[in-house]
Amino acid sequence: MSQTIQDLPGTGPAPQTGPGAGARPDAKSNNPGLFRMLLRDKFASAGAVILLLVLLTAAFGPMLMGDLATRQNLLFANKAPFNPANGWEYFLGSDSLGRSVLARLVVATRTTLAVAVPAVAVAMVIGSLWGVWAGYHRGWRENVSMRVADVIMSFPSLLLAVVVLYVFSPSAANIVLILALTRIPIYLRTARAESAELQSRTFVDAARTFGARPNAIIRRHVIPVVTPTILTLATLEFCYVMLAESSLSFLGIGIQPPDASWGLLVSQGRQYLQTAWWLSIFPGLAIVITAISANMLAAWLRIATDPAQRWRLALPGRRKLIVRLKAKESK
Amino acid sequence: SVANSDNAAGAGAAASDTLRVVLQQEPPTLEPCEANLTSTGVVDRSTVTEPLVERNPTSGELEPKLATGWKATGDKEWTFTLREGVTFHDGSGFTAEDAAATIERAVNSDLGCNVEGYVFGDDDLEVQAVNDTTLKVTTKQPDPILPLRISFLEVVPAETSATEKVREPVGTGPYQLESWDAGQKITLAAYDGYWGEKPAYAKAEYQWRSEGSVRAAMVTSGEADIAMGLSPEDNIGELGVPYPNNETVALRMHNDKAPFTDIRVRQAVNYAIDKESIVASLYGGRDKAAAQLVPAGVVGHNESLQPWPFDLEKAKQLVAEAKADGVDTSAQISLIVRTAQFPKIQELGQVIQEQLTQAGLNVKLKMLETSQHLKYQVRPFVEDEGALLHMTQHGNQAGDAAFTVDQYMLTDGAQSAFGTPELDAMIKKANAATGDGRQQAFEEIFAHQNEDVVQFAHIAHQTGMIGKAAGVDYTPNSSSGDELRLAEIKPAQ
Amino acid sequence: MTALLDRTVADRPAALEVRDVVKTFHVSRSASGNNRLRALDGINLSVGRGETLGLVGESGCGKSTLARTLMLLEKPDSGSVTFDGQDPFSLKGKDLLSWRRRVQMVFQDPFASLNARMTAGDIISEPWATHRGLHRTSREREARLAELLQLVGLRASDARKSPQEFSGGQRQRIGIARALALNPELIILDEPVSALDLSVQAQVLNLLNDLQQQLGVSYIFISHDLSVVRHVTDRVAVMYLGRIIETGTTEDVFERPLHPYTAALMSASPKLDPAARPAERIVLKGELPSPLDPPSGCRFRTRCWKAQDICAAEAPRKRTAAEAGRTVLPMPALRRPGLPVEHLAECHFPLAVPAGPDAARE
Amino acid sequence: MLSYLRKRIISSALPLLVVIVGVFALARLTGNPASLYLPLNATEQMRADFTARHGLDQPLLVQMADYFGGVLQLDFGTSLRTGESAATMALRAFPATLQLAATTMVLAILLAVIVGSWAALKPNGIADRISSFVSMAAASIPDFWLAIVGIWIFAITLGWVPTSGVTGAAAWVLPIGTLVMRPFGALVQVVRGAMVSALSEPYIKLARSKGASQTRVVTHHALRNASAPALTVAGDLTVGLVNGAVVVETIFGWPGIGKLMIDSILQRDFAVLQACVLLTAVAIFVLNIVIDLLYALLDPRVRPASAVSRARKARPAPAPVETAPANA
Amino acid sequence: MTSTAETSAGRTAACPVVLRVEGLDVDIRTPAGTVRAVSNAGFEARAGQTLALLGESGCGKSMTAKAVAGLLDPVAHVAGGSAELEGRDLLRMTPKQRRKVAGAELGIVFQDALTALNPVYPVGVQLGEAFRIHHGASAARAREQAVQLMRRVGIPEPESRVNAYPHQFSGGMRQRILIAMAVALSPRLLIADEPTTALDVTVQAQIMDLLRSLREEGDMAVVLITHDLAVVAEEADDVVVMYAGTVAEQGPVGQVFANPRHPYTKGLLESVPVDAERGSSLASIPGSPPELKNIPAGCVYQDRCPLAQAVCRQERPVLREVAPGRRAACHFSDSLATASTLEEIQP
Ligand SMILES: Nc1ncnc2c1ncn2[C@@H]1O[C@H](COP(=O)(O)OP(=O)(O)OP(=O)(O)O)[C@@H](O)[C@H]1O
Ligand SMILES: Nc1ncnc2c1ncn2[C@@H]1O[C@H](COP(=O)(O)OP(=O)(O)OP(=O)(O)O)[C@@H](O)[C@H]1O
Ligand SMILES: [Mg+2]
Ligand SMILES: [Mg+2]
């Protein structure tokens, strides 16, 4: 039903807010800006703002913190947070070497993103292009690709991690490499499924009838349609990658000190849980809040980028779903 | 709740006659000839199996176990008198044959026992069971500490395969192996035919958890009576019992690459590290700042050596001097640290890195897992890496400095980066010495290392910690981490 | 009528010739263990220049498959297709591209055949991204786009809108404009109006008609709406389960169907005008058999009220109206070599008299 | 059915082989285990002996041939660390993991279905917001942290459950409570999405037109239709669990395959590692077949006999296992 | 089946009204605000007769039907009016009351036959569901009933096919099953929303046959929704022509088609390519229906109407009786009655 609803006049995405907007919509305003749609969804906006903050922190935070994150003071170890007497640097307390938890959190933001973002980006680009290609051509290309995905999926990723991180070094770049490699199948499968479905669509057939080459069709018709799905997926994967990185830290093969990532901070702080809870709670919160924000944004993005669902977001405020009629007045 | 009451009931019942111990990891095997591996030895030694001679960890004296006496009966020959009336868990009697077979098996066979290389070096021993209670051991070279070495060998019946390792040993100890639920627990039962005093607990149960906080929690929640290998952060509270564990942490400097080619830089490292603060802040004041590789109680420990003072200015000055003389003090130094080797090692690594950086050196911290770390720890060392600063944790289980200096200070010692001919000569002399002369000779070696060689920057003599439930009476000693003598553990009065 | 036929067919040779085209799909195994679905089973067709050929038949009988095969979207197992003497399946590279220009298609579903993420202008000018030589400068392209939009009755400003903003009829016009972008000589129209409302349908049919008059293109017009087919086509081919069972001029087929299936089809389609309704309607029994397991012999026999034993045993050959016992009006203009405009049907027992009350329900 | 199985085995055998070969080669990339197993001052000779004794001096291909030769005779090698048969060790550890995985998934699916359906009844309603918040949080808390907090609160402070171990039902609470979070979080989202779209399908309206109550509509008509996407994701999540819940097994001393695998990696115990991988790969293979069968059970359209009708749709139904998971 | 104006008029008077809809308004929430999808719709369906709701896509036919059946999408709600099923107002029932009526007294066949059946249950189970819900029948009993129903709607071998799944049936068969489901409990009213739009003509004829016989058998009132003029002409007794959510015209089919009183009806009738010569141009209605959010004040048809005058832009024509039994909503419906072409009416 949603298909037809969308296609019927009067229900398409419309710009005018408020009832009774009478003028015929012009072409442009009929697609309300993504940004304005975002503003309408409180939760998604909050998510976006938080993610933006995280990004800004990663970009500029370390600069502001100077050497605060590495400055040790063994005599000032494990000081509790929220004590104004300690100065703003220690607002979130100090760690076991007397470093500012706040500063370390800020610096870790950059490392965390420096791992998660490239890992997601690399996996996304490779996986989705590959998947789109495989799905478009079908046949053996599709089969081989899916088998490769199977292999990667059932490969013990931990072994891969250990090998790469031991044989080479546990550098951020290698962690990115592993996380990217192991997550490629996710995109590959999604993109393949979508692309296989798309290649049988009529508008793709139409493009074939004028002799467009496969790559041109993929570029023009498949990629733009697959992109929103992939982006949504990538947002979710971002959370997964953050968690995976923290698990690696727990096993001692993640980011290595003196670098710090949120996962590593949680992992290191876990033994102080009962003596200095702030060491693991704050970075843990950072992970959870970022993940929830990303999820919120992804949920919104999923709808906002789907032309068949976008109208949901544009609906005016909630009303009672069923307006019960008043009992008929006596005739 | 139901779970609660179940749990409490279970705990109560078990506490009466079962001693529950939680270890860091499952023993890979209980093969007695591997008993110098901590995780194997902690179960085997003096509990399931017993040696001929046992070293008292507190006094350092050798005490009779399955041998009642021993003496040097020649330049290279030792004679042991064995205890009578001892039976193995399988009921067979213990004789000199068994003792001889044990030595043959561990030292002279191709079994590839860990203990062989660790304690005996390359040379084979000649053993002879003179009669049921007399054993004669002959060495290739004179060996004044042979009985000490023999104390590492856990006696097994002569029938034990000399070509295959056994996972489940038959010993003479106070407890015998009852069952081993791989992955879950090992259960021991008191051996009725034990020659000595009957142990206080009828049963013992070992479990293992790799997270220290979980081990501690098991003691606090009443699920275990003894938890091994805790650290101060594990929140064990009153139930934590610290003990000196013979382990010493030090940094080994490889002098083959700048800036460690210059002794002044090596001295600077010693000055730059604030050992007292580290001990006070990271280890709650329980550890002791170290001036040498062996702690007090080990033969050869030099009481008069003082830890290097913390003097950052001096360190900077030394570095500057070296630099002035053309040493590349800005060359990168890799600080090699093994992940999770001992509590707070990660923090320690970071502190040292930071302090050496303060002194003007360029240090990069490298955290490695065991197998990788081994490439840096023992010869042949990794070559293409720049200057190496290796964090070593050395535990002298034997109580004699010979075991330390052979490994760590000889020019070609397995864990020695370099040495000097002088030092080599001193070591050779000390190894052959006995009595006070021996003590003297080793003391000189340690002093010499600090003055003229400076391969090591010593950090601390460590303190271990076990968790002990209130219902248990046990005082850990320096060897508790390697051999937890269950027979010494009693219910609290 | 004759005058019209003269104009469209009479003095031109066939542009498109389809000979014995067979197309099999591999599908998952059916209950009877067959996994080869014969969607087209020996199709013969020809279309003249400027002519409109209607293709009617029930859903699933293979109309779209034929259209797709002609557009090279499917490769036939056997048989030949020639357009202007060229076999498109043997063409490569440039030749193929130039062939593509000459034959275009308008798809059944105006909603699905337009990429919702592109604007109308992008959609219509998309073919030029492949055929770069056609309009070299962007000025030329814009001018041509405006022209096309005007031709199909859209405003120039509509180029910036996206498909969702158009009504069904307007979308179908965009599809037509896209097909026209390459100046084709033959357009295959796969149910171009079946998704449209009546009032819009009339607009589109008028448009198609005007284009043909202005540009002289040929159409293959696929539809199952008989009133529409009757209105727009010169000749009709009736398909049933992958075969063409009857062909002839529109008037012949509609007024004097030979094949019982055609007769049933005509009779079943509802009529607005009470006078045009058959007094007794032929309501077919049973369903269209599965194309995976078509009946032996004559495919229609399972639903045919005239079926006899021979129908199961033997596939019927083509019979002309005359063979069926009809008096055929001489139409000399149509008797051109190579153009099978005779009225032919594949049936053992073609209807001698146009279907009437007697023919209905046995 | 048989032909399906045959196809399935053929198409999965090769990946399986690739996985094993890959593990074999990768493991050997981590270096010679000799130094781990020999005394610190072992001589070159001893190392060489050790290496030769375990065949590690052979070219990789020879080693591989040996290994596969052994596998064909059901000899999976012996553990360097314990001297036990690698197969025995892997087989012993696997049930523990399987029990954990199965219980976790059953619980996660159950909870997710309840919460997800509840949320889907009113998209964007308050219940929906709460459940999405909770599920996202559940899915994004680092598990090791959760485990330790769980021990602290429930085992130490409250004393309700044992801290760890495998004895007694109470011991399952914390590991499963920790493990269930991520699958639960992921599944709630999937179930919710699938339920929202199932509830807007025409057959729901049809059911209502017959006078069916809300409960009947949800449990009878929507849920089963919504189960396919959830099943796909649940399958992927189960694969993750079968591969070993390393972190949870490590913390709770759960003697499972994940812990065994990581230990054998750290100890360079190649034979055991290979046995573990082989076992889990086969298990995943079986799991995928089970999931396929479940698909067919839940949705008659994907049963083999539906060939005819599917042919009419002209598009081969995508193989269910290969559809994309929503979020893992 | 041919129904002429005379016979239907005669019958109409005799048959009791089953459904009476009056002043039905349906609102939809859209991004542009709330819009009225159905405005002031009213009609009567009589027992044993077929009432056709005719109109272009999107004019509100289904919306009207769903409002009556209480199955509107969440975004839509009834804003006013009444719909009395044998005297009880469906729109004012509690959900519980309505569930009692649904299926038992009011059957509905949905527009998208191919997707309306639940794909995961055998058709027998779905057919029997009504018996289980309303009569508390056992599974076995419901199954028996299902078999009978299938036989009644002409599905061959019902005993073996009762366990088959929807996808194993062709479109026509599925439509029959849907119809069977709707008439399972012999309701008083059957609403059939475009029951044949997706089907071929030969199948359409079969389905129409079936509906006709069921109607006669059970003396049901049938509301047939379609946009096919020919189907209306053949099947219905009365017709309601809808345009942009409003009723343009209504009355007995014969009269309305023979003599339309609304320019829209007239335009529709003329755009049927029925008698037009091959190649000749069809009369078509220019433009397209207004979007719901842009419904003009005044007459909804003004933008496309050749008759549109100033009055049409200001005043919305009310639906009024233009002849006995006929109503139309046009300012000029009286002039239409006499004029033979639209041009003649130009004032
Ligand atoms: N790609 C394909 N794979 C398998 N079978 C197919 C494929 N395409 C078409 N078919 C089958 O071929 C037959 C003919 O299909 P086609 O789409 O040509 O019918 P049609 O006459 O156009 O029907 P409609 O009127 O519904 O559009 C059908 O049975 C269909 O199921
Ligand atoms: N769920 C919905 N949300 C928003 N608008 C809707 C929804 N359903 C219907 N509409 C709008 O209500 C109007 C009437 O729709 P309805 O489904 O009644 O049309 P219809 O006459 O049945 O058309 P068709 O012939 O296409 O079935 C249409 O303009 C449509 O856009
Ligand atoms: Mg078609
Ligand atoms: Mg409708």
Side-chain angles (χ1 to χ4, degrees), chain E residues 201-279:
Chain E
V201 277
T202 57
V203 186
Q204 169 171 315
Q206 294 172 350
I207 298 288
M208 283 304 167
D209 249 15
L210 170 66
L211 270 181
R212 203 178 304 129
S213 63
L214 286 172
R215 182 192 72 198
E216 279 160 10
E217 220 170 275
D219 200 28
M220 279 187 305
V222 173
V223 175
L224 176 70
I225 298 176
T226 180
H227 56 237
D228 189 332
L229 293 178
V231 168
V232 174
E234 293 196 359
E235 303 298 330
D237 301 289
D238 294 300
V239 62
V240 175
V241 182
M242 292 187 71
Y243 184 78
T246 64
V247 174
E249 178 167 12
Q250 70 179 66
V253 172
Q255 292 177 23
V256 171
F257 282 15
N259 187 7
R261 292 297 196 86
H262 194 287
Y264 174 63
T265 318
K266 200 167 171 65
L268 272 187
L269 287 164
E270 283 171 2
S271 46
V272 180
V274 88
D275 295 321
E277 281 284 285
R278 149 85 177 97

Side-chain angles (χ1 to χ4, degrees), chain A:
Chain A
M1 194 62 206
S2 62
Q3 171 72 39
T4 39
I5 292 164
Q6 176 57 26
D7 293 329
L8 292 169
T11 54
Q16 292 96 337
T17 45
R24 237 171 210 290
D26 63 45
K28 245 216 189 116
S29 63
N30 225 4
N31 277 315
L34 273 186
F35 183 65
R36 286 186 56 190
M37 261 165 39
L38 180 61
L39 288 187
R40 270 194 215 158
D41 189 315
K42 280 190 291 276
F43 290 84
S45 322
V49 167
I50 292 173
L51 285 186
L52 195 70
L53 271 181
V54 170
L55 275 178
L56 288 177
T57 308
F60 304 109
M63 241 152 57
L64 296 176
M65 291 297 152
D67 70 338
L68 204 53
T70 51
R71 201 192 304 150
Q72 300 176 355
N73 181 355
L74 292 180
L75 303 178
F76 194 72
N78 290 348
K79 290 285 179 270
F82 310 132
N83 183 351
N86 292 340
W88 67 269
E89 303 96 311
Y90 297 98
F91 182 68
L92 296 183
S94 72
D95 76 355
S96 56
L97 301 181
R99 295 171 296 198
S100 153
V101 170
L102 177 66
R104 287 181 60 71
L105 209 53
V106 167
V107 172
T109 307
R110 175 179 282 183
T111 321
T112 306
L113 292 199
V115 168
V117 172
V120 169
V122 169
M124 179 180 83
V125 170
I126 296 179
S128 46
L129 285 183
W130 183 357
V132 161
W133 171 83
Y136 181 83
H137 289 287
R138 314 226 49 173
W140 65 269
R141 281 171 266 217
E142 186 180 26
N143 282 331
V144 169
S145 305
M146 292 327 287
R147 294 292 85 78
V148 171
D150 282 355
V151 168
I152 301 178
M153 289 292 270
S154 50
F155 206 87
S157 43
L158 210 57
L159 172 70
L160 196 69
V162 170
V163 171
V164 174
L165 300 179
Y166 287 174
V167 175
F168 310 103
S169 63
S171 66
N174 283 334
I175 294 174
V176 168
L177 185 82
I178 290 154
L179 291 176
L181 185 63
T182 48
R183 300 315 284 175
I184 283 179
I186 304 290
Y187 301 94
L188 172 56
R189 287 171 166 202
T190 311
R192 184 219 57 107
E194 284 234 350
S195 155
E197 198 268 325
L198 278 172
Q199 66 87 34
S200 68
R201 288 273 196 90
T202 323
F203 62 79
V204 171
D205 275 343
R208 290 194 183 109
T209 63
F210 12 96
R213 323 220 110 257
N215 283 345
I217 297 180
I218 289 178
R219 203 175 50 242
R220 270 206 293 270
H221 295 294
V222 181
I223 291 183
V225 181
V226 176
T227 304
T229 314
I230 294 291
L231 278 182
T232 311
L233 185 60
T235 320
L236 298 172
E237 281 293 294
F238 174 74
C239 311
Y240 178 89
V241 165
M242 272 195 310
L243 287 179
E245 188 266 320
S246 79
S247 287
L248 288 181
S249 289
F250 170 80
L251 296 169
I253 50 179
I255 295 285
Q256 297 295 325
D259 283 347
S261 69
W262 289 343
L264 182 65
L265 291 184
V266 180
S267 168
Q268 287 180 334
R270 72 182 192 272
Q271 33 174 334
Y272 298 92
L273 198 60
Q274 292 157 73
T275 48
W277 54 266
W278 53 93
L279 295 188
S280 62
I281 296 264
F282 290 131
L285 271 182
I287 294 182
V288 172
I289 290 176
T290 310
I292 291 183
S293 306
N295 267 298
M296 289 278 179
L297 197 63
W300 173 83
L301 202 64
R302 195 160 29 205
I303 300 179
T305 53
D306 182 350
Q309 291 207 38
R310 197 179 297 151
W311 61 274
R312 286 177 198 273
L313 290 177
L315 280 186
R318 297 179 43 72
R319 304 262 168 82
K320 263 187 90 179
L321 291 182
I322 299 161
V323 179
R324 185 69 48 74
L325 291 178
K326 282 191 223 91
K328 224 190 220 167
E329 296 97 72
S330 55
K331 292 190 191 171

Side-chain angles (χ1 to χ4, degrees), chain B residues 71-94:
Chain B
K71 57 175 183 290
T73 46
D75 188 16
K76 301 172 183 168
E77 187 189 85
W78 286 81
T79 302
F80 293 81
T81 314
L82 304 184
R83 194 179 292 279
E84 287 175 67
V86 174
T87 56
F88 285 100
H89 297 153
D90 61 6
S92 61
F94 163 71

Side-chain angles (χ1 to χ4, degrees), chain B residues 334-391:
Chain B
S334 298
L335 173 55
I336 309 296
V337 178
R338 177 172 142 196
T339 325
Q341 192 176 16
F342 52 81
K344 295 207 169 180
I345 186 166
Q346 214 175 53
E347 283 92 335
L348 180 59
Q350 291 181 63
V351 170
I352 288 170
Q353 182 201 26
E354 172 73 9
Q355 295 186 342
L356 293 184
T357 307
Q358 297 285 322
L361 295 171
N362 172 12
V363 180
K364 180 166 185 277
L365 181 59
K366 262 185 110 165
M367 306 280 316
L368 299 173
E369 55 90 51
T370 315
S371 176
Q372 293 285 98
H373 185 259
L374 275 170
K375 292 192 203 151
Y376 295 86
Q377 185 179 354
V378 295
R379 285 175 182 276
F381 300 119
V382 167
E383 290 285 348
D384 46 357
E385 172 85 41
L388 293 180
L389 183 60
H390 181 267
M391 190 184 289

Side-chain angles (χ1 to χ4, degrees), chain C residues 58 199 209 271 281 284 287, chain E residues 56 170 202 206 234 279 285:
Chain C
E58 260 168 306
S199 66
N209 192 30
K271 309 280 188 307
R281 171 155 290 163
L284 288 177
E287 293 175 75
Chain E
E56 283 178 273
S170 68
T202 57
Q206 294 172 350
E234 293 196 359
I285 306 173

Side-chain angles (χ1 to χ4, degrees), chain A residues 5 8 11, chain E residues 28 57-63 73 75 111 194 292:
Chain A
I5 292 164
L8 292 169
T11 54
Chain E
I28 307 178
S57 182
C59 71
K61 305 184 296 290
S62 302
M63 204 58 98
D73 295 323
V75 288
Q111 186 164 358
E194 314 214 3
L292 284 184

Side-chain angles (χ1 to χ4, degrees), chain D residues 10-46:
Chain D
I10 291 171
S11 75
S12 310
L14 199 66
L16 208 73
L17 202 71
V18 173
V19 169
I20 305 292
V21 169
V23 168
F24 195 94
L26 266 189
R28 275 148 188 81
L29 261 186
T30 60
N32 192 334
S35 53
L36 271 176
Y37 290 94
L38 293 176
L40 288 178
N41 54 355
T43 59
E44 278 309 309
Q45 182 58 41
M46 288 165 73

